[in-house]
Amino acid sequence: MNGLLDGKSALITGAGSGIGRATALAFARDGARCVLSDVDEAGLEESLSLVQATGAEAVARTADVSREPEVEALLAKCIEAFGRLDCAVNNAGITGNPSPLAQMDLANWERVLSVNLTGAFLCLKHELVAMQAQGAGAIVNTSSGAGIVAAPFLSPYCASKHGILGLTKTAAAENARSGVRINAICPGSTDTPMMQKFMAGSPQAEKMIKGSMPGGRLGTPEEIAEAAVWLCSDRASFVNGTALVVDGGAVGR
Ligand code: NAP
């Protein structure tokens, strides 16, 4: 017992792939009991097996974060499984189809906003209900470098990730005396199935992304997960309402 999250229970959305899967494994390694959730049932089952294979306690439940009844049921599952919810990582997200803004399809705009921004709002809302009742908790919302700077051809993605930072600051200000901390992480380009799919769709995008990384490489999902572990741990007890950029220096240069 010497993990940063010993004795804590945690919810991770988008846990069936990429950063979410790495986050679930890192939380489990650091002693948390985890509820894994994703819309992708097969990916979720695989992540659950990987976490359980480490000997950690974990359960899984599918949920679409853009649907409030599913998010409510997910939070009920967290309480049923472990009696309380200490940490949450609202990580589920999609890029949507790339397109110039002038040609952006409204349905694509609405789908990305609904998963990325409404999804983060719904998770936050129901997590706060549980955590306020306990008088303690820590939440991390996954934004992006695209939450800080422009993301050409991904306007709904960029708007949703900027919106997540506004939600994070507002939730932190509202809850500063409640014992619940709310922060965001802004990953840079990270080697996940989402990123692989995005780069495979356009050699131009791949060149642009790889060229934008000062260290000459993408981040790993595990490097992003470490930031979420720390922000959810008691070591980050005075960190609230902030956006932690984890991108190898990409947006800062
Ligand atoms: P990923 O590999 O695609 O994993 C995301 C997971 O979320 C997938 O399993 C996906 O399922 C799931 N998901 C999609 N819509 C959902 C919904 N409505 N409800 C619940 N789960 C849903 O992506 P990732 O790269 O790990 O990204 C994780 C987060 O980091 C996202 O919020 C992303 O925007 C952010 N991020 C990623 C990067 C990067 O470079 N990879 C950079 C900055 C920020 P499906 O596969 O079925 O869609």
Side-chain angles (χ1 to χ4, degrees):
M1 295 281 282
N2 56 5
L4 282 187
L5 302 174
D6 279 340
K8 294 190 188 288
S9 62
L11 166 65
I12 298 123
T13 70
S17 177
I19 294 170
R21 174 176 289 172
T23 302
L25 283 162
F27 271 57
R29 176 206 66 204
D30 262 280
R33 296 169 295 166
C34 298
V35 179
L36 279 55
S37 185
D38 203 289
V39 80
D40 170 12
E41 211 171 329
L44 182 60
E45 282 307 314
E46 201 180 321
S47 294
L48 180 65
S49 302
L50 289 167
V51 171
Q52 287 176 334
T54 68
E57 223 182 312
V59 298
R61 184 178 176 106
T62 53
D64 179 339
V65 294
S66 67
R67 295 172 193 260
E68 187 159 24
E70 295 188 27
V71 173
E72 255 187 296
L74 175 60
L75 267 292
K77 175 76 181 179
C78 294
I79 303 303
E80 178 200 308
F82 300 125
R84 55 185 286 120
L85 181 67
D86 299 299
C87 317
V89 183
N90 299 322
N91 162 81
I94 57 174
T95 55
N97 302 323
S99 158
L101 184 45
Q103 280 75 45
M104 182 59 69
D105 178 46
L106 177 61
N108 186 41
W109 168 271
E110 287 178 341
R111 193 170 72 90
V112 175
L113 267 288
S114 131
V115 174
N116 293 5
L117 190 54
T118 305
F121 155 69
L122 290 173
C123 289
L124 256 177
K125 172 180 166 181
H126 292 282
E127 289 155 5
L128 283 170
V129 170
M131 291 178 179
Q132 284 167 352
Q134 300 165 178
I139 300 174
V140 170
N141 297 316
T142 307
S143 176
S144 168
I148 300 171
V149 297
F153 311 113
L154 290 176
S155 52
Y157 184 78
C158 187
S160 70
K161 294 299 185 179
H162 274 71
I164 284 175
L165 296 188
L167 256 183
T168 300
K169 290 173 203 167
T170 300
E174 282 183 14
N175 285 279
R177 291 176 184 238
S178 74
V180 185
R181 296 182 296 106
I182 303 98
N183 291 290
I185 47 177
C186 295
S189 296
T190 307
D191 192 6
T192 67
M194 173 195 275
M195 179 52 74
Q196 290 296 347
K197 196 168 139 203
F198 184 67
M199 291 194 303
S202 149
Q204 236 182 332
E206 180 171 4
K207 197 171 161 214
M208 192 262 292
I209 285 163
K210 290 190 170 160
S212 72
M213 301 307 287
R217 69 167 179 92
L218 302 187
T220 66
E222 292 75 19
E223 287 173 312
I224 310 304
E226 294 303 334
V229 168
W230 179 72
L231 282 171
C232 279
S233 78
D234 295 340
R235 297 259 177 98
S237 52
F238 202 50
V239 183
N240 198 15
T242 199
L244 179 54
V245 180
V246 189
D247 72 345
V251 301
R253 73 174 176 177

